[in-house]
Amino acid sequence: MKKTVSLVLSSGGARGIAHIGAIEELEKHGFKIKVVAGSSIGAAIGGIYASGNLKKYKDWVLNLDKYGVFKLLDFTFSSHGFIKGEKVKNEMRKFLGDPNIEDLNIPYIAVAADLYNQKEVVFTKGNLFEAIRASASIPSVFEPYSYNKTFLIDGGVINPLPIDKVINYKNDLIVAVNLNAEIPYKEPTTKKGKKRKNKIAHYKQLDVLRKTWQKFFPEENDKPKKPGYFTLLNSTFDLMQNRLTEVSIEKYNPEVLVNISRYACGMFEFYRSEELLLAGKTAMQECLKAKSLI
């Protein structure tokens, strides 16, 4: 049985925390990750893992509450995107340093999209932050990343599950974690035996911030209503990612495909990290068992 893994991590916003749980479950059963490729949040988690800082990042993100997530979103309200992304980048620098891809523990591949030349851009060397920032530049949300006289946007636009980037590693087990699966979501139970609920008590006294959050990330209810700008954009982007992911899976047929429901959470719901982490662990474990790999 192959015990070395070529790992592919998809785009999918905050659902990317499930990547951490999936990685931990792989390693728990003795699999050794030899190369990692990713788009958007997959590129971010993959880069953090390849640099040896996944536990540090996990501890940080598990302590984020809703207000903590909001503070990381540096709104600009510009025509290019309403979040700069510099706060997230600066926060990551605190525990990652400023490494180059060539200096990482394992080979690393990040995918972004060239907005002007309409082609894929693949990072296999150079600054890790540059690669992550480019790959995670969600159109109209984060400002595009200026790079070599062009602008780069989210890798999910062109290749949300870049299985093709690892097919040359023929001796490895190809494991792909898909965060955009069209399957129902069953919320896992946390270790405390309680389901994580959306709490606004953390910033109840900060009425201005609360109203701003609700403007961009409105709460769901049972009454159908015309989608707002952000909801429309998010849904359109998710639909596109879903179809491109299906094409990639059909074409390359990874040996192990771990599916996480696209309905697990919204794009910025990182405050649900404990739940998402467990979802990733559970999905990986069930998949490995189904393949008789554990």
Side-chain angles (χ1 to χ4, degrees):
M1 183 178 65
K2 296 178 182 178
K3 295 296 285 188
T4 58
V5 167
S6 291
L7 183 63
V8 185
L9 304 177
S10 84
S11 57
R15 295 191 296 278
I17 301 303
H19 286 324
I20 300 175
I23 290 171
E24 290 183 340
E25 192 66 20
L26 266 178
E27 293 190 325
K28 173 184 174 181
H29 293 287
F31 292 92
K32 183 176 178 61
I33 299 169
K34 299 296 289 294
V35 59
V36 60
S39 280
S40 196
I41 188 65
I45 299 299
I48 292 167
Y49 173 77
S51 68
N53 289 283
L54 192 63
K55 185 182 185 305
K56 194 184 297 185
Y57 176 80
K58 172 188 170 182
D59 292 343
W60 172 73
V61 78
L62 282 174
N63 284 307
L64 279 179
D65 56 24
K66 197 171 186 180
Y67 177 55
V69 174
F70 185 89
K71 288 194 298 182
L72 290 172
L73 305 180
D74 41 1
F75 295 102
T76 67
F77 301 100
S78 76
S79 59
H80 304 294
F82 60 80
I83 297 173
K84 287 182 180 180
E86 292 301 313
K87 285 186 178 180
V88 174
K89 183 177 176 180
N90 291 336
E91 190 66 34
M92 291 180 68
R93 281 187 186 277
K94 292 180 181 179
F95 56 85
L96 270 186
D98 194 21
N100 285 324
I101 294 172
E102 302 94 310
D103 301 325
L104 300 179
N105 297 331
I106 59 174
Y108 166 80
I109 304 160
V111 176
D114 186 329
L115 186 61
Y116 286 163
N117 299 303
Q118 299 184 359
K119 65 179 183 180
E120 188 179 78
V121 175
V122 180
F123 289 88
T124 58
K125 60 182 180 179
N127 186 268
L128 177 62
F129 279 109
E130 188 172 79
I132 292 174
R133 175 65 177 86
S135 184
S137 296
I138 303 169
S140 297
V141 178
F142 289 102
E143 293 182 339
Y145 189 76
S146 179
Y147 176 81
N148 285 353
K149 298 182 179 179
T150 188
F151 287 95
L152 303 183
I153 58 174
D154 198 283
V157 170
I158 197 166
N159 195 351
L161 187 64
I163 304 169
D164 59 312
K165 303 302 177 234
V166 301
I167 56 175
N168 290 329
Y169 293 83
K170 300 184 185 299
N171 294 324
D172 293 346
L173 185 73
I174 295 180
V175 178
V177 183
N178 170 30
L179 304 176
N180 302 300
E182 187 66 42
I183 58 176
Y185 177 62
K186 182 179 179 181
E187 184 179 345
T189 302
T190 64
K191 291 180 180 179
K192 295 179 180 180
K194 297 180 180 179
K195 292 183 176 181
R196 180 171 292 275
K197 296 182 179 180
N198 180 11
K199 296 180 181 180
I200 62 172
H202 297 291
Y203 59 102
K204 214 168 188 178
Q205 297 177 349
L206 302 174
D207 195 49
V208 174
L209 292 182
R210 179 180 60 80
K211 289 178 180 178
T212 306
W213 176 278
Q214 291 178 344
K215 178 181 178 181
F216 285 99
F217 317 113
E219 302 291 342
E220 296 292 334
N221 55 51
D222 296 330
K223 184 180 179 181
K225 60 182 179 181
K226 185 177 179 180
Y229 170 77
F230 182 80
T231 301
L232 183 62
L233 178 69
N234 192 26
S235 297
T236 302
F237 188 64
D238 273 352
L239 285 170
M240 179 183 62
Q241 285 187 118
N242 186 38
R243 182 57 190 143
L244 288 173
T245 299
E246 288 175 354
V247 170
S248 181
I249 292 169
E250 289 171 6
K251 184 173 182 180
Y252 298 106
N253 191 26
E255 293 161 284
V256 178
L257 176 64
V258 181
N259 283 316
I260 304 294
S261 173
R262 59 183 291 198
Y263 306 108
C265 73
M267 187 181 297
F268 295 111
E269 292 182 330
F270 288 91
Y271 53 87
R272 292 172 59 189
S273 293
E274 183 183 357
E275 170 195 334
L276 295 165
L277 189 76
L278 185 55
K281 282 180 178 288
T282 302
M284 178 61 78
Q285 183 185 66
E286 290 176 352
C287 194
L288 292 175
K289 283 183 177 179
K291 293 284 183 178
S292 299
L293 293 170
I294 57 174

